[in-house]
């Protein structure tokens, strides 16, 4: 079959890499893709947000399945558009993608269906929001309702901070329409974890646990980024905890969708905070995580195309996802200055040398080809990913591969997986296999 992948980041390279191994995928295309995706598929220069252009491309290629990577085209209704024209597409409809594109929608759904999450208030009026925020002593979190390039979440230490955040979002409209409504919620403490599940409207299948590191600097310092590195599995997520996630989050999610007349087909990735009272949902994402996908695809043993088709066709119950027992670690190499301003066009050296390492895979995020070179073209440049018998071995191999690659201004965190290893040392027997 012919598959078209929408997007051009590390997540899409990992999906394309895995799909390219399927004997059932005869031809793989990507729009717009990147230099790494181009190694396993044919890339077309159509933006992931150009809906008419993507529909025309699906028609031209006669795509049997279109896999949508990023959140924006989902929220804009790409899956709906393709389906209206008779094309099969993987990803939720715009209406179901509101779990990610509207935090107010997601929080109200969780409140209605008893899914554990931080206590919150939602506001469309800045005066009301200000009044509520002044009643909170201690830290709180102010969130813009809509998609804001990952920048719409502000952790506030005092009523003064929250007053400023509310006025920036609601009065000064720094996030445009995304800030017309805001959520103000309780600050939660704990370890974060990413849970990925495929949903076909009736049932779900889980991926193993993973964990992202969102701050740019070691020991979780500096500003938030799109994600600087991931591990899977997460030793802090025991199998008992995974069961709690199923009972308290995934099953009520499906029941809630049925009660509200909503159908969710695609990948659902709840970001969790593991609090002392149990796991609570920080947010729902309506797509695969980036760079979580990089570690999950390295561990997925079964054919991804079978799973994606089962979701689209509503027969997930008959499908089994098989995973390798090995652990995986992904270390992101980013451009110097990211998540602020950074230079582009820097030649990347050592990719071939890194590729020689067994069980290591360099997923491209912001790269493009320039003559004979592959050069940097984004903030997150590469997701250097490795499998190993355990987290320690996977981590060593991933950093081994990182050491072989260089470009001007390259930055990476040196501590991906470090907290997990310390946790395992102080909790013998915690090394989970999922
Ligand atoms: P979100 O986009 O809602 O996941 O928020 C982005 C990041 O902000 C999360 O990954 C957390 O690190 C942090 N965050 C969001 N909400 C809270 C909260 N209620 N308490 C503590 N940290 C939070
Ligand atoms: N790993 C963060 C995200 O994909 O949103």
């Amino acid at each position: 079959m012919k598959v078209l992948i929408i997007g051009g980041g590390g997540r899409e390279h990992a999906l394309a890499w895995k799909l390219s191994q399927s004997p059932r995928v005869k031809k793989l295309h990507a729009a717009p893709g990147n230099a790494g995706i181009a190694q396993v598929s044919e890339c077309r220069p159509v933006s992931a947000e150009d809906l008419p252009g993507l529909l025309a491309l699906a028609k031209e290629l006669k795509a049997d399945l279109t896999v949508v990577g990023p959140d924006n085209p989902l929220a804009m209704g790409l899956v709906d558009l393709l389906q209206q024209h008779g094309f099969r597409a993987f990803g939720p409809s715009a209406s179901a993608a509101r779990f990610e594109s509207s935090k107010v929608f997601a929080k109200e759904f969780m409140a209605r269906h008893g899914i554990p999450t931080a206590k919150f208030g939602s506001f469309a009026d800045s005066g009301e929001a200000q009044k509520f925020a002044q009643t909170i002593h201690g830290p709180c979190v102010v969130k813009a309702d809509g998609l804001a390039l990952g920048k719409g979440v502000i952790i506030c230490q005092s009523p003064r901070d929250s007053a400023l955040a509310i006025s920036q979002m609601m009065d000064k409209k720094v996030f445009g329409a995304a800030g017309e409504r805001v959520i103000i919620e309780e600050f939660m403490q704990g370890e974060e974890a990413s849970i990925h599940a495929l949903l076909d409207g009736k049932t779900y299948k889980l991926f193993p646990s993973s964990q992202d590191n969102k701050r740019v600097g070691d020991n979780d310092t500096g500003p938030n980024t799109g994600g600087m590195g991931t591990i899977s599995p997460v030793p802090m997520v025991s199998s008992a905890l995974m069961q709690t996630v199923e009972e308290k989050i995934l099953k009520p999610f499906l029941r809630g969708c049925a009660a509200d007349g909503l159908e969710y087909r695609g990948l659902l990735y709840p970001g969790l905070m593991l609090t002392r009272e149990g796991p609570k949902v920080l947010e729902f994402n309506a797509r695969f995580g980036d760079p979580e996908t990089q570690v999950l695809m390295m561990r997925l043993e079964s054919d991804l195309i079978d799973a994606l088709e089962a979701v689209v066709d509503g027969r997930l119950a008959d499908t089994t996802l098989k995973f390798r027992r090995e652990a995986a670690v992904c270390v992101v190499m980013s451009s110097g200055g990211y998540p602020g301003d950074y230079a582009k066009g820097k030649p990347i050296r050592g990719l071939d040398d890194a590729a020689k390492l067994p069980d290591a895979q360099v997923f491209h995020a912001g790269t493009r080809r320039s003559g004979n070179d592959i050069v940097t073209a984004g903030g997150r440049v590469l997701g250097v990913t490795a499998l190993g018998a355990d987290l320690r071995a996977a981590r060593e191999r991933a950093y081994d591969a990182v050491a072989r690659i260089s470009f001007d201004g390259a930055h990476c965190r040196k501590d991906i997986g470090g907290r997990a290893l310390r946790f395992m040392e102080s909790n013998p027997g915690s090394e989970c296999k999922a």
Side-chain angles (χ1 to χ4, degrees), residues 316-374:
L316 194 56
D318 309 328
T319 309
T320 316
L321 296 179
K322 258 189 89 185
F323 296 95
R324 288 178 220 287
R325 293 176 65 89
E326 290 106 311
V329 171
C330 168
V331 178
V332 169
M333 295 181 77
S334 62
S335 299
Y338 172 78
D341 291 340
Y342 53 83
K344 291 185 191 174
K346 305 287 181 196
I348 306 171
R349 309 278 175 228
L351 289 168
D352 292 339
D353 203 16
K356 288 185 194 134
L357 277 171
D359 283 334
Q361 193 60 42
V362 180
F363 294 117
H364 292 216
T367 68
R368 72 179 170 78
R369 186 163 278 284
S370 169
N372 287 330
D373 282 335
I374 290 181

Side-chain angles (χ1 to χ4, degrees), residues 162-392:
S162 41
L164 186 65
I166 294 165
S167 117
Q168 292 278 333
M169 287 184 198
M170 302 191 88
D171 306 327
K172 304 219 170 77
K173 302 198 188 315
V174 294
F175 302 123
E180 274 170 12
R181 294 190 292 172
V182 300
I183 294 284
I184 302 174
E185 70 178 30
E186 145 199 37
F187 178 80
M188 299 187 286
Q189 255 167 338
E191 195 70 47
E192 287 184 45
S194 303
I195 301 298
H196 283 62
L198 289 172
L199 271 67
D200 70 350
K202 302 180 285 262
T203 187
Y204 65 86
K205 294 279 158 143
L206 285 173
F207 284 82
S209 60
S210 57
Q211 185 180 51
D212 192 5
N213 289 264
K214 291 210 175 118
R215 302 289 203 95
V216 75
D218 286 351
N219 303 312
D220 293 324
T221 51
N224 259 332
T225 67
M228 293 300 294
T230 39
I231 60 168
S232 176
V234 185
M236 303 76 149
V237 179
S238 63
S239 35
L241 193 108
M242 214 55 178
Q243 240 164 17
T244 308
V245 170
E246 292 191 50
E247 295 306 321
K248 298 263 164 105
I249 297 167
L250 286 162
K251 289 181 184 171
F253 182 92
L254 276 175
R255 285 197 295 270
C257 284
D260 293 354
L262 261 173
E263 188 180 72
Y264 195 99
R265 278 184 202 231
L267 190 289
L268 183 75
Y269 142 33
L272 302 184
M273 187 69 95
L274 310 181
T275 74
R276 287 161 70 161
E277 295 118 67
K280 294 190 185 180
V281 176
L282 280 165
E283 60 169 349
F284 282 119
N285 298 292
R287 41 140 189 110
F288 282 95
D290 188 347
E292 284 88 339
T293 308
Q294 287 81 323
V295 283
L296 296 179
M297 291 305 118
M298 288 291 269
R299 295 191 64 204
L300 179 63
E301 208 172 333
S302 43
D303 195 334
L304 178 62
I305 198 72
D306 292 343
L308 300 184
E309 278 201 293
V311 168
V312 174
D313 299 340
R315 43 179 182 75
L316 194 56
D318 309 328
T319 309
T320 316
L321 296 179
K322 258 189 89 185
F323 296 95
R324 288 178 220 287
R325 293 176 65 89
E326 290 106 311
V329 171
C330 168
V331 178
V332 169
M333 295 181 77
S334 62
S335 299
Y338 172 78
D341 291 340
Y342 53 83
K344 291 185 191 174
K346 305 287 181 196
I348 306 171
R349 309 278 175 228
L351 289 168
D352 292 339
D353 203 16
K356 288 185 194 134
L357 277 171
D359 283 334
Q361 193 60 42
V362 180
F363 294 117
H364 292 216
T367 68
R368 72 179 170 78
R369 186 163 278 284
S370 169
N372 287 330
D373 282 335
I374 290 181
V375 302
T376 64
R380 290 189 292 174
V381 177
L382 302 169
V384 182
T385 312
L387 277 176
D390 55 19
L391 271 179
R392 186 180 303 279

Side-chain angles (χ1 to χ4, degrees), residues 1-5 15 18-28 64-67 88 90 198 297 300 302-313 315 319 321:
M1 58 192 287
K2 284 185 222 149
V3 180
L4 169 61
I5 297 182
L15 293 172
K18 183 66 190 164
L19 286 172
S20 72
Q21 295 162 23
S22 168
R24 296 186 48 227
V25 176
K26 294 285 176 262
K27 188 85 203 165
L28 199 53
D64 298 300
L65 182 70
T66 300
V67 180
R88 295 161 81 226
F90 175 86
L198 289 172
M297 291 305 118
L300 179 63
S302 43
D303 195 334
L304 178 62
I305 198 72
D306 292 343
L308 300 184
E309 278 201 293
V311 168
V312 174
D313 299 340
R315 43 179 182 75
T319 309
L321 296 179

